Amino acid sequence: MPIKIQSDLPARATLENEHIFVMTEQRAAQQDIRPLKIGIVNLMPTKIATETQLLRLLANSPLQVEISLVHMEKHISRNTGQEHLERFYITSQQVLDTKFDGMIITGAPVEQLPFEQVDYWDDLCRIMDYANRNVFCTLYICWGAQAGLYHHYGIPKHHLPRKLSGIYMNRCTTWAEPLLRGFDDLFPSPQSRHTTVFKSDIQQIPQLTLLAESDDAGVVLVKSNDNRQIFMTGHLEYDTETLALEYERDRQKNADAVMPENYFPDDNPAKAPRSIWRSTAHLFYSNWLNYYVYQETPFTFI
């Protein structure tokens, strides 16, 4: 089934060229079906790229999905035009008056700041509290995962001695977990962050379960035992070239920037990287939509 988006959203052309079934609002209005309503709180600076990445993955299921993109109204975006935000996004305040079946809170390049110093922290906390009461399942990604673990459970983040960047193999730490259904015993995931959370801190919280970890990247997947929150420290949504673009950006700021590990063939940035996580990403988001959103949501909102 398709993903429902606005007809002039920039991601539409990219997705249609990839033969991903998207449906405009006009066509969706002619169908007698109640789509899943997913809110995407997009905190990434490259908002259009992140929109496309997530929509691509959310469209890969038999379910019709209706997307609401959310931006933080008190934050001035330096990389995305105000016209785009006003046309395609609702504000962080409007979220509190909107019903969603599922929600995604993305990463953000602010992990080196204390949470309380992020200029939209108070607004984000209100959204996280709202989601905890009103959304069937919220998926927190990268810095979003650290923010959620800190806000809901008091788990701190810790600075790494160097940026963690690259593709890392992870192992499942629990079995019969619907979110990991169909996963191999080892699966790859992109990582791109300066901070981490400790496994020992997760294990101190009885309401949380560690689902996957890596010898090199640490904690990878955590869920709340009531299945209302999923925390993913990596970026399964990343395109093949995303880490390369980040590396080039970092090199322009610092010639000694950390090169992504296990990413460029022969560790040669002149060689084009290849994705080895695409199938894992599609499976993960399909499982999340099916088992943690669709199976829990009623046909009509209460």
Side-chain angles (χ1 to χ4, degrees), residues 207-243:
Q207 302 97 314
L208 297 176
T209 297
L210 178 67
L211 301 181
E213 63 181 339
S214 165
D215 290 338
D216 299 312
V219 172
V220 173
L221 276 173
V222 177
K223 77 165 185 176
S224 62
N225 294 339
D226 62 3
N227 297 332
R228 299 287 297 274
Q229 301 161 335
I230 306 292
F231 304 96
M232 176 172 60
T233 64
H235 285 282
L236 280 173
E237 81 281 3
Y238 268 11
D239 290 327
T240 304
E241 68 278 3
T242 302
L243 286 175

Side-chain angles (χ1 to χ4, degrees), residues 34-39 64 66 99-103 134-138 288 292-294 296-301:
R34 211 283 270 171
L36 291 178
K37 295 182 180 291
I38 305 295
Q64 187 182 128
E66 179 179 327
K99 290 185 178 293
F100 298 103
D101 300 301
M103 181 174 286
N134 298 282
V135 177
F136 290 102
C137 188
T138 302
W288 177 68
Y292 285 90
V293 183
Y294 174 70
E296 300 299 324
T297 186
F299 181 78
T300 57
F301 284 108

Side-chain angles (χ1 to χ4, degrees), residues 144-194:
Q146 296 180 0
L149 289 168
Y150 176 73
H151 178 64
H152 294 302
Y153 301 100
I155 294 175
K157 63 181 178 180
H158 301 274
H159 287 268
L160 294 166
R162 64 198 295 266
K163 182 179 181 180
L164 181 74
S165 177
I167 311 302
Y168 300 94
M169 297 304 295
N170 317 287
R171 61 181 176 276
C172 304
T173 57
T174 187
W175 307 108
E177 166 54 48
L179 191 66
L180 302 176
R181 189 160 294 166
F183 274 47
D184 294 323
D185 292 343
L186 294 174
F187 64 92
S189 174
Q191 295 278 352
S192 178
R193 49 190 167 89
H194 295 270

Side-chain angles (χ1 to χ4, degrees), residues 29-100:
Q30 300 173 3
Q31 289 196 332
D32 185 17
I33 188 172
R34 211 283 270 171
L36 291 178
K37 295 182 180 291
I38 305 295
I40 300 177
V41 182
N42 189 357
L43 306 175
M44 293 289 279
T46 52
K47 290 194 179 345
I48 294 175
T50 301
E51 294 161 16
T52 306
Q53 291 165 358
L54 289 172
L55 292 176
R56 179 186 292 118
L57 296 169
L58 294 172
N60 188 41
S61 86
L63 307 170
Q64 187 182 128
V65 180
E66 179 179 327
I67 298 297
S68 293
L69 298 167
V70 182
H71 76 94
M72 312 308 288
E73 59 188 319
K74 295 181 181 179
H75 175 72
I76 298 176
S77 176
R78 293 179 297 176
N79 299 280
T80 305
Q82 188 64 27
E83 181 180 351
H84 180 85
L85 297 178
E86 292 176 356
R87 175 70 184 89
F88 300 112
Y89 281 67
I90 63 174
T91 67
S92 49
Q93 181 60 38
Q94 290 173 303
V95 168
L96 308 182
D97 300 318
T98 308
K99 290 185 178 293
F100 298 103

